[in-house]
Amino acid sequence: MTEELAAPSPAEVDVTIIGPGRGECVVVHLGGGKWAIVDSCVHPDGTAAGLRYLAGMGVGSEAVALLVATHWHDDHIRGFSQLVEECPAAVVALSTALKRDEFLTLVESDSDLLVRSMSGVREMGRSIKALVGSARQHEFAIADRRLYRDEANRAEAWALSPSSASVQQAMEGFGELLPKRGASRRAIPRPARNPACVVLFIKVGDVELLLGADLECSSDPSQGWSAIVSSAARPRMRAHFLKVPHHGSADSHDDAMWSHLVEHHAHAGLTPFRSGSVRLPRPTDVQRIATLTPNAWLTRHDDGGKSKRRSRAVEKTINEATRRMRSVSVEPARVTFRCGADHAGEWTVTPSPQSQNLVVTP
Amino acid sequence: MSLAEELSFEEPSSEGGTTDEIGIASGATTRPAPRWPSRHDRAADRDAFELRNQLGGSSGTTTAKPPLESATASANPVALPLSLPRDIPPPRRTATFKALQQFEGRVLDVGPDWFSAALFDMTDEITEEEAEFDLDEVSSDDRSLVVPGAIFYWSIGYRTERSGERSRTSLIWFRRLPVWGERDLEDVQARVAALRTALDR
């Protein structure tokens, strides 16, 4: 059971990474009792993990000032429409790629398929419709655009991606999924890559945070981490905290990002990703990250996703019919990092029992 | 939705039907029907109405196929006629199936001899799981339907033969969804334009 914390003081920065094994949510205290929630995952009962964390501290959803969906993969978006509906004061920010006709066509072509399981495009569609239905303030994030500013608390949030070239590449990916005359209908599958995700830079007082979303590297210097590192228009930064991109995968590792954008031995948090035979971070990823900083934490290191218990006859048949089966309805684990807004880098860390400090092993 | 749903299997008969048809004993509950798009409901209602007119009203045992949504075999299980005319003898009931567990699945990825899927437990309506199956678990008729995004249903239960012999059974069948037509694509584009206008407002 994860310890419930007291709400931070108005001048205290709180960065909480929540990850159940497949899913990610980052909650940030922007100072003065205002909060940001970046991405979403849910508890087994379906409630959004970000709101649940706030409620555990006695903070209501009206305190959420900024909601960001970094991209539409189902492990980052589960429960996001609930956030849009229940956080009336929040500015909602989405990747600019998601307002393009190509993505809206995916949303509308999927909406007729009445299936019960959740998918990323369906949840993003619900979120967009909740957004327009409530006439809420929203922003479309693109590289080097400020999304939020609160002068009283010296807080601001910037999108560092996607670049124009990345949006164009995303359109090509969407194009492959578009419905075509004569083709069978289907649920929109999750694409393997996500070039148009939103990397965030958040500054509260003197504390700088880099939230890496699922951004991967690219051989094209106008995309991926190269585009961010080389941008002349982004805020100058040396982040004291890094949300490690893409569950620590090797494809998302960029030496220049670590050396130019992040403080030496910065605190870092990451969530695992389990799907089929894919497990991130891999042991080699853990070694690499632990070498870069001794202050990196993984929200959940155990498998944690055992299938629901069923009758013996059903379990025997499941074992015979499947190679493997695991639950994605798992209690999220979290790691909370806190420090004073004027004491950048002096973090206290409160992990869940399932969390792990990444260390170099011989 | 009851777990103890009972389906009965029938032998093919000269009146029609194939070996993969699943017959429903008179008065018994069908397998859970997936929810259907309203536009398709209307098409299915129309097809069912025409079929009902061709067959005429009657009573007796009924047959129903697993959910089919192709343009040529549009069938809403709710809208299908519940009985066959008297002059067609009811199909012979040979086996029953008692479902213990049912899932709705969505194919995530397909390998050379496997596929992975997101599963939604239709029994508790909450639990979501992921599983990896051998392609051999899918009938050869459905194999071509196993592509990312395909929707299928998976039932686990007991099959009881008329002789009384009982066996544990795993049944996977894929939804056959209609193809996109010109009109459908125009409808989608009209909704996209409305959504974009609302977003730009």
Side-chain angles (χ1 to χ4, degrees), chain A residues 5 14-15 36-37 47 65 74 87 119 128 167 175 276 280 285 298 344:
Chain A
L5 299 171
D14 173 316
V15 188
I37 301 180
T47 56
D74 54 5
C87 301
S119 77
I128 290 172
V167 172
L280 294 174
D285 301 324
L298 179 66

Side-chain angles (χ1 to χ4, degrees), chain B residues 6 15 19 41 93 96 167:
Chain B
E6 192 169 283
E15 287 78 26
T19 50
D41 280 349
R93 175 173 154 155
T96 59
S167 56

Side-chain angles (χ1 to χ4, degrees), chain A residues 134-197:
Chain A
S134 60
R136 301 277 298 286
Q137 186 186 347
H138 54 274
E139 296 281 349
F140 287 104
I142 194 159
D144 308 322
R145 176 176 293 178
R146 187 164 55 201
L147 302 175
Y148 175 83
R149 186 178 190 188
D150 175 4
E151 285 186 29
N153 293 297
R154 294 192 298 140
E156 55 188 306
W158 288 74
L160 303 184
S161 70
S163 65
S164 301
S166 297
V167 172
Q168 192 52 42
Q169 198 197 11
M171 291 309 114
E172 290 167 19
F174 295 161
E176 291 169 12
L177 302 174
L178 290 175
K180 293 175 182 66
R181 188 178 169 199
S184 283
R185 291 166 193 253
R186 59 173 179 165
I188 303 299
R190 168 196 159 105
R193 298 181 72 84
N194 186 62
C197 69

Side-chain angles (χ1 to χ4, degrees), chain A residues 339-353:
Chain A
C339 78
D342 298 326
H343 297 84
E346 296 174 22
W347 297 97
T348 57
V349 181
T350 309
S352 289

Side-chain angles (χ1 to χ4, degrees), chain A residues 22 44-46 74 78 94 98-101 104-120 122 125 128-129 131-132 138 140 179-190 274-277 306-308 310-314 316-318 320-329, chain B residues 1 32-40 69 100-101 103-108 113-114 116 118-135 137 147-151 153-154 156-158 168-170 175 177-182 184-185 188-189 191-192 195-196 198-201:
Chain A
R22 184 188 162 93
D45 66 5
D74 54 5
R78 198 174 283 259
L94 309 174
L98 304 188
K99 76 167 177 179
R100 302 280 287 263
D101 280 4
L104 298 180
T105 301
L106 296 184
V107 166
E108 288 298 347
S109 61
D110 190 80
S111 63
D112 266 1
L113 262 188
L114 293 172
V115 293
R116 300 173 197 218
S117 57
M118 178 269 179
S119 77
R122 195 165 307 130
I128 290 172
K129 288 173 183 177
L131 189 61
V132 299
H138 54 274
F140 287 104
K180 293 175 182 66
R181 188 178 169 199
S184 283
R185 291 166 193 253
R186 59 173 179 165
I188 303 299
R190 168 196 159 105
R274 311 259 191 275
S275 181
S277 56
K306 288 192 172 56
S307 258
K308 177 185 151 183
R310 297 183 168 92
S311 74
R312 190 172 153 74
V314 170
K316 274 167 74 177
T317 314
I318 287 174
E320 289 161 9
T322 64
R323 292 183 177 188
R324 59 173 72 89
M325 183 157 157
R326 64 183 300 278
S327 176
V328 292
S329 305
Chain B
M1 182 180 309
R35 291 174 294 165
W36 305 87
S38 58
R39 192 145 36 87
H40 304 148
E69 295 185 349
L100 299 173
Q101 174 71 50
F103 298 96
E104 177 193 88
R106 176 170 46 92
V107 176
L108 297 173
D113 60 351
W114 57 270
S116 62
L119 298 173
F120 181 80
D121 188 329
M122 295 168 75
T123 310
D124 66 8
E125 299 272 340
I126 291 178
T127 308
E128 294 192 53
E129 287 155 299
E130 276 189 13
E132 197 174 302
F133 297 85
D134 286 322
L135 272 175
E137 291 293 324
V147 294
I151 305 295
Y153 298 93
W154 180 24
I156 294 170
Y158 285 115
R168 253 188 310 116
T169 303
S170 163
R175 272 174 79 173
L177 294 162
V179 297
W180 287 103
E182 198 62 48
D184 302 319
L185 296 174
V188 166
Q189 285 313 314
R191 297 202 300 269
V192 166
L195 193 53
R196 184 169 16 82
L199 272 174
D200 290 341
R201 208 172 283 149

Side-chain angles (χ1 to χ4, degrees), chain B residues 152-170:
Chain B
F152 66 93
Y153 298 93
W154 180 24
S155 285
I156 294 170
Y158 285 115
R159 176 189 167 108
T160 306
E161 306 296 337
R162 200 162 56 166
S163 64
E165 186 185 352
R166 197 166 83 144
S167 56
R168 253 188 310 116
T169 303
S170 163

